[in-house]
Amino acid sequence: MLTFTIRRLLTLVPQLLVAALVVFVLTSLLPGDAAIARAGGESATPELIAQYRAQLGLDKPLVERFIDFVVHAATGDLGISFSTSEPVSDILLRKVPVTLSLVLLGFIFAILIALPLATIAALHPRGIADRISLAVATSGIAIPNFWFAILLVLLFSLTLRWLPATSYVPFSTDPLQWFLHLLLPAITLGHALAAELTRQLRASLGDHLRRDYVRTMRSAGLSEISVVGKHALRSALGPAVTTLGLQVPIAIGTCVVIEAVFDLPGIGSQMVQAVFSRDIQVLQGVILFTVLLVVVASFLTDLAYALINPKVRVQ
Amino acid sequence: MTAPAASAPSTTQIAQVSGRRHRGLVRRVLDRPAGVVSIAYLVLLIVVSLIGPFITPFDPNQNDLRGVLRPPGLDHWLGTDDLGRDVLSRLLVAGRVSLLATAQAVLTGLAFGVLPGVLAGYIGGWFDTIVTRVADVLLSFPSLFLALAIVAILGPGLGNAMLAVGIAYAPRFLRIVRGQILFVRNETFVEAAISTGIPRRRVVWAHMLPNAWPALIIQISFMLGLTLIIESSLSYLGLGVQPPNASWGSMIGGSKAFIEIAPWLVLAPGLVIFFTSLAFNTLGDVLRDEVTGGRER
């Protein structure tokens, strides 16, 4: 297990380097550079722009700038925001907990929806639960998240007045309010993520329930709970874990829209703000951090998979 | 002397067989209730979008400040928005914008995905390694993030946004095409085609690529559904279509402030997006069932 972990850990480095290159190239393509923005726009004197360009290291060749970018990023220095003059790393530190809270709760909801639904659906094909699972799997993909979120707000915040519609309360300030403020956003995200998970789990559990070992256990008189819960479900969970890992980028992408609807100060809304204000430095930082998150998530997924399925470790 | 005569009918025969197979697929899809309903809905939608601008009951961009936020009624079937514009008229015109944008994104994805996919599968070696690595990295970005980054470079606007979405989705098409080309690369019929002296380029396009079509068509159907959602999300955020023009997404974004007093402004475009995306996804499901033979459930 240790060699597997180390070997898998080593593959993260080239992955992150390539991602950093893509982010760097993308953001280098942006019209107008940091120096012009810092000097006060296009009307600034060429001397002032040149001075800032030298100060920001923008007069160096591209390759050198890329190396600087990687070295700085690796030490946590992601530059300074053009629009607020705040270090990008500080902005991220402030906004990341919001998005992570949302993603975490979203995944919990997705599992809470998918696991029981898929299990009952697989046990009773063509039953009511099976039909509901199909509806969830389809609606989760076809309903626009922002619209679903607005409908939830319309029902639970504006009509029933049970839950707050906007803003965020940090966990450290008030855990209950943190949860209540994130409940509707997390349900929206969970609904979106549950679609693929339900479909996948339903198919894989159904497949396992038809296998010989399940028939043998049943004929040997093992209780249904033991057959399904201890054996079939455990085997079926392997691919589901992979599905969960693959959904991390989808979840973060979905956060952009959900944070906009619920007015949550996370990295998603920060990203939209950065696009509108063309804040390249923030954009770079947010994308780079997101890729780091995705890469780490795929690493953890592989580890979890190796724990569940020992065969993977020796490959 | 008989050899050329024999080879000529055989190629037409292949074309006939594959043509028959495709006709069979269309018929099989139409035999399924879900297939027929999705296709009927989509055809209706496309027709309505084409003639939309000519059948709108009101001018979709005409403000009427004396009749703002009117609920649905006999006069305005779906009510009016915050500027007194007729919601049904806007919905009809916005449909054209949304559908064209969705098609543009998927075509962009195909344009950027198919050729590299074919080349990666056919040439293999270092070229394949580089192309698939770049595709993997692109896939590891959340697609909406990638689209946002490209919009930041090119500026807001629906054309740019859809170009961005297309580029973000190209790796998915690339992977399918590459996989199928790899799959048939060493098959006897390819070897046979090459040995009869048909130019390589033609072998790739006319003999190998058609094998990727069923998988591609399925993916296109799902992608259309997904792209519609992404398009409406970007337009909702204000990064897609720019006012006074509307797409279904921007109609929802523009009326979010009024949901409490005028929920119909949000309900109508949302339902249309949902049904359209549902139709694309259902069609994709039916196609997949019929192509892979046998249904999933």
Side-chain angles (χ1 to χ4, degrees), chain A residues 152-172:
Chain A
L152 287 181
V153 169
L154 196 57
L155 179 63
F156 292 105
S157 304
L158 299 176
T159 311
L160 297 170
R161 304 202 176 272
W162 286 353
L163 291 165
T166 52
S167 78
Y168 173 78
V169 176
F171 184 78
S172 50

Side-chain angles (χ1 to χ4, degrees), chain B residues 1-67:
Chain B
M1 269 292 116
T2 50
S7 73
S10 76
T11 29
T12 43
Q13 211 178 348
I14 291 171
Q16 272 171 2
V17 169
S18 74
R20 204 178 300 148
R21 202 178 60 203
H22 285 295
R23 263 203 305 281
L25 180 63
V26 172
R27 192 172 307 142
R28 287 209 303 275
V29 169
L30 287 176
D31 275 346
R32 298 268 303 268
V36 103
V37 170
S38 321
I39 289 180
Y41 173 81
L42 291 172
V43 168
L44 179 75
L45 195 71
I46 291 168
V47 170
V48 166
S49 301
L50 284 178
I51 59 171
F54 307 106
I55 57 166
T56 51
F58 295 90
D59 179 349
N61 289 332
Q62 177 66 52
N63 298 354
D64 173 14
L65 296 177
R66 281 167 303 171

